[in-house]
Amino acid sequence: MKTFCGRANPTTGALNWVEESDEYDYHQEIARSCYADMLHDRDRNKKYYEGIRAAVSRVKARGERVIVLDIGTGTGLLSMMAVTAGADFCYSVEVFKPMAEAAACIIKKNSFSEKIKVINKHSTEVTVGPDGDMQEKANILVTELFDTELIGEGALPSYEHAHLHLMQAGCEAVPHRATVYAQLVESEQLWSWTQIRPIQVDGHVLLPPAAVGQCPGVPAVCDIQLSQVPPTAFTPIGPLCTMFSVDFSRPVSSAARSYTCRFVVKAGGRAQVVLSWWDLDMDPSGSIVCSMAPSWTYSDPQEYPWRDHWMQSVYFLPTEKSMCEGEELRLTVFHDDYSLWYSLLDGEQADADDNYSRPCCTCQGHLVWTRPRFGELNDWQRTESYLSALRSVLRPDSVCLAVSDGSLLPVFAHLLGARKVFSLENSGMSKQVIEQFLEANSLKNGVKLLAIRAEQLTPADLEEEQISVLMGEPYFSTSLLPWHSLFFWYCRTALAGLLRPGAIVLPSSASLHLLAVEFQDLWRIRAPCGTCEGFDVSPMDEMVQQSLDFRESREAEPHHLWEYPCRALTKPCPVMDFDFQQCVPEQPIISQGTLPLIRRGQCHGFALWMEYSLTDDITVSMGLTKPVNEEGECVWSPHRKQGIYFLQTPWESSDDGWTAVSYNLTFDPSVGDIKMDFSAIQP
């Protein structure tokens, strides 16, 4: 049976009705889950196994039957570990039905069905008793309910309920304890992700609205691979602080709480950002530790266990504060049942009150712009590229129209002397944010903001003027993959009748670039698992393969590649061009070719990104920002996500392996997407 799903197309802006199987959500959830990453996390698996064996031994030493409750069982791996360690019975709870079915299949394949019962419910709905889901309460609680922020997946309410209703008094827990750490730092790089700096524009200083500078920002945690932010990018203001611990073997409360750490400023500077991560003690003695600390905290970085399902967190203070060496500070962390946030007090301020309200954006800017977008707006080299391009095309009689979301280009055009400037804003919220900028800089009459779509624009909206300069970054909040920003091209096509003959389109064109890469670690998130810690989990691989085969063609995925080191195995190459001087064609754009191998390695997939030609001699890249060096090291733009097409099986470049890659790309203008196919060329 087929169903039709309405999907907003981020490239064309249209609503497409796509025929899907009834199992579409199931396939997509399985394909894009993080289970492969977790199963490949040997450090995590090893520490859990050691902790489970130790807990089973402690319960057996007391002469008790070992009954295990595994909440959030996923593939059932931890349950199988428990039974192998000597547990008498295990209840495995998994709320996501496809994963519960996968767990049951994996458990059966490993011959554990008699000792493991899979319960497809949320743990708070599980019952105990003769007619319940569990025949008796458990005395070992095994969970993997954690996210980068530790408690963001509802760990505290789940533990609270389990101790009240599902566990025996004096039970064991694996992990036994979690500890949250934090460090206050100054970092221009990280601070640029939450505040707009003043911008110099030909003698003018464009200031951010006061509301943006005073706003505490968006409440969602900023989770990143902090190992890829070098220690040179920040200066510690204080020591690494132990903020709080949670003992999972005892009753847990999900009530809001706060914890404060006092310390003396070790180096003067501006307190801006809190770096945070956590550790898991798998046993009461703390001898089995699974740490989320970034690689630069290790004496030997080679010992760092890479993982992507758990990363590190960055929290931004509501406002930056200047600190002097020797000053006493109090860093306070607050948490509700799902999230953390931080505040800072000096020695003369009153103690933090019991206000547990989460910070939230009051200026709307943090809702319109993502953190990478803040960084992009603060990138002075990028800004200078756009300013240089505008200077070369603007004339005193120029009538400009900007097409981007929440862009400052129309403000730049006005300051550079354009006669009239209009700007299309797809949302009322982004329109209000730009209005704040105009008002803060006394430019309200300089730019006319239009909350209207390109195809709805009329000559009356433009005051009967014809557009002489159509410009865009292009940036759109709905874009996921690099080519989704071609929405600018569709807008340019819709506006063709409003353009003056010979009108300038900036950027004038774009090109899609391609590079075969070997990942240092990212390959793990899509690699087959096969056997994990001696258990056959291949049914997961089969389910993932089914989900990939379900799609007519495999799709690229968006990733911030600056967080994931990789080596270039071919030269970067432009593989498809898009001419914005012309309207979107009706026929597909097809590109075929080959890329020779120039470095040996294991090809895990292909990186794809867009580059925009603003003028004949000014280009901005949304991918590589520096030439690839002799070793193949790649430096990626942190402001945009690049596309990654993962190979189902990596290609080895041995003596009899592949020597080049052939590509076949088709851009379908009717849907705005790119179908792609790659094959290895043998010697």
Side-chain angles (χ1 to χ4, degrees), residues 142 215 254 497 615 642 652 683:
V142 177
C215 180
S254 62
T615 62
Q642 292 75 41
E652 295 282 357

PDB file of all heavy atoms in Angstrom, residues 142 215 254 497 615 642 652 683:
ATOM      1  N   VAL A 142      19.981  -1.068  34.390  1.00  0.00           N
ATOM      2  CA  VAL A 142      20.928  -0.750  33.323  1.00  0.00           C
ATOM      3  C   VAL A 142      20.238   0.211  32.360  1.00  0.00           C
ATOM      4  O   VAL A 142      19.125  -0.063  31.903  1.00  0.00           O
ATOM      5  CB  VAL A 142      21.377  -2.012  32.568  1.00  0.00           C
ATOM      6  CG1 VAL A 142      22.298  -1.644  31.413  1.00  0.00           C
ATOM      7  CG2 VAL A 142      22.078  -2.974  33.514  1.00  0.00           C
ATOM      8  N   CYS A 215      20.368  39.936  24.916  1.00  0.00           N
ATOM      9  CA  CYS A 215      19.520  38.737  24.887  1.00  0.00           C
ATOM     10  C   CYS A 215      20.287  37.521  25.385  1.00  0.00           C
ATOM     11  O   CYS A 215      21.458  37.324  25.021  1.00  0.00           O
ATOM     12  CB  CYS A 215      19.037  38.491  23.460  1.00  0.00           C
ATOM     13  SG  CYS A 215      17.991  37.038  23.276  1.00  0.00           S
ATOM     14  N   SER A 254      13.635  14.453  39.629  1.00  0.00           N
ATOM     15  CA  SER A 254      13.655  15.253  38.399  1.00  0.00           C
ATOM     16  C   SER A 254      13.316  16.714  38.672  1.00  0.00           C
ATOM     17  O   SER A 254      13.188  17.511  37.741  1.00  0.00           O
ATOM     18  CB  SER A 254      12.666  14.682  37.383  1.00  0.00           C
ATOM     19  OG  SER A 254      11.337  14.742  37.894  1.00  0.00           O
ATOM     20  N   GLY A 497      10.475  39.107 -14.884  1.00  0.00           N
ATOM     21  CA  GLY A 497       9.725  40.201 -15.496  1.00  0.00           C
ATOM     22  C   GLY A 497       9.909  41.536 -14.813  1.00  0.00           C
ATOM     23  O   GLY A 497       9.496  42.573 -15.368  1.00  0.00           O
ATOM     24  N   THR A 615      31.220  37.991  -8.535  1.00  0.00           N
ATOM     25  CA  THR A 615      31.583  38.715  -9.757  1.00  0.00           C
ATOM     26  C   THR A 615      32.597  37.838 -10.493  1.00  0.00           C
ATOM     27  O   THR A 615      32.868  36.712 -10.081  1.00  0.00           O
ATOM     28  CB  THR A 615      32.213  40.086  -9.437  1.00  0.00           C
ATOM     29  OG1 THR A 615      33.429  39.883  -8.699  1.00  0.00           O
ATOM     30  CG2 THR A 615      31.264  40.939  -8.596  1.00  0.00           C
ATOM     31  N   GLN A 642      28.129  20.871   4.751  1.00  0.00           N
ATOM     32  CA  GLN A 642      28.456  20.284   3.465  1.00  0.00           C
ATOM     33  C   GLN A 642      27.648  18.995   3.303  1.00  0.00           C
ATOM     34  O   GLN A 642      27.126  18.439   4.275  1.00  0.00           O
ATOM     35  CB  GLN A 642      29.963  19.980   3.371  1.00  0.00           C
ATOM     36  CG  GLN A 642      30.837  21.230   3.337  1.00  0.00           C
ATOM     37  CD  GLN A 642      30.971  21.905   4.695  1.00  0.00           C
ATOM     38  OE1 GLN A 642      31.119  21.233   5.708  1.00  0.00           O
ATOM     39  NE2 GLN A 642      30.937  23.232   4.709  1.00  0.00           N
ATOM     40  N   GLU A 652      38.937   0.452  -1.203  1.00  0.00           N
ATOM     41  CA  GLU A 652      40.343   0.380  -0.824  1.00  0.00           C
ATOM     42  C   GLU A 652      41.205   0.735  -2.031  1.00  0.00           C
ATOM     43  O   GLU A 652      40.971   0.248  -3.135  1.00  0.00           O
ATOM     44  CB  GLU A 652      40.701  -1.030  -0.335  1.00  0.00           C
ATOM     45  CG  GLU A 652      39.998  -1.451   0.945  1.00  0.00           C
ATOM     46  CD  GLU A 652      40.627  -0.846   2.182  1.00  0.00           C
ATOM     47  OE1 GLU A 652      41.644  -0.150   2.054  1.00  0.00           O
ATOM     48  OE2 GLU A 652      40.075  -1.066   3.278  1.00  0.00           O
ATOM     49  N   PRO A 683      41.975  -0.572 -12.203  1.00  0.00           N
ATOM     50  CA  PRO A 683      43.120  -0.431 -13.117  1.00  0.00           C
ATOM     51  C   PRO A 683      43.019  -1.400 -14.299  1.00  0.00           C
ATOM     52  O   PRO A 683      42.361  -2.428 -14.210  1.00  0.00           O
ATOM     53  CB  PRO A 683      44.323  -0.762 -12.223  1.00  0.00           C
ATOM     54  CG  PRO A 683      43.769  -1.605 -11.128  1.00  0.00           C
ATOM     55  CD  PRO A 683      42.372  -1.105 -10.891  1.00  0.00           C
TER      56      PRO A 683
END
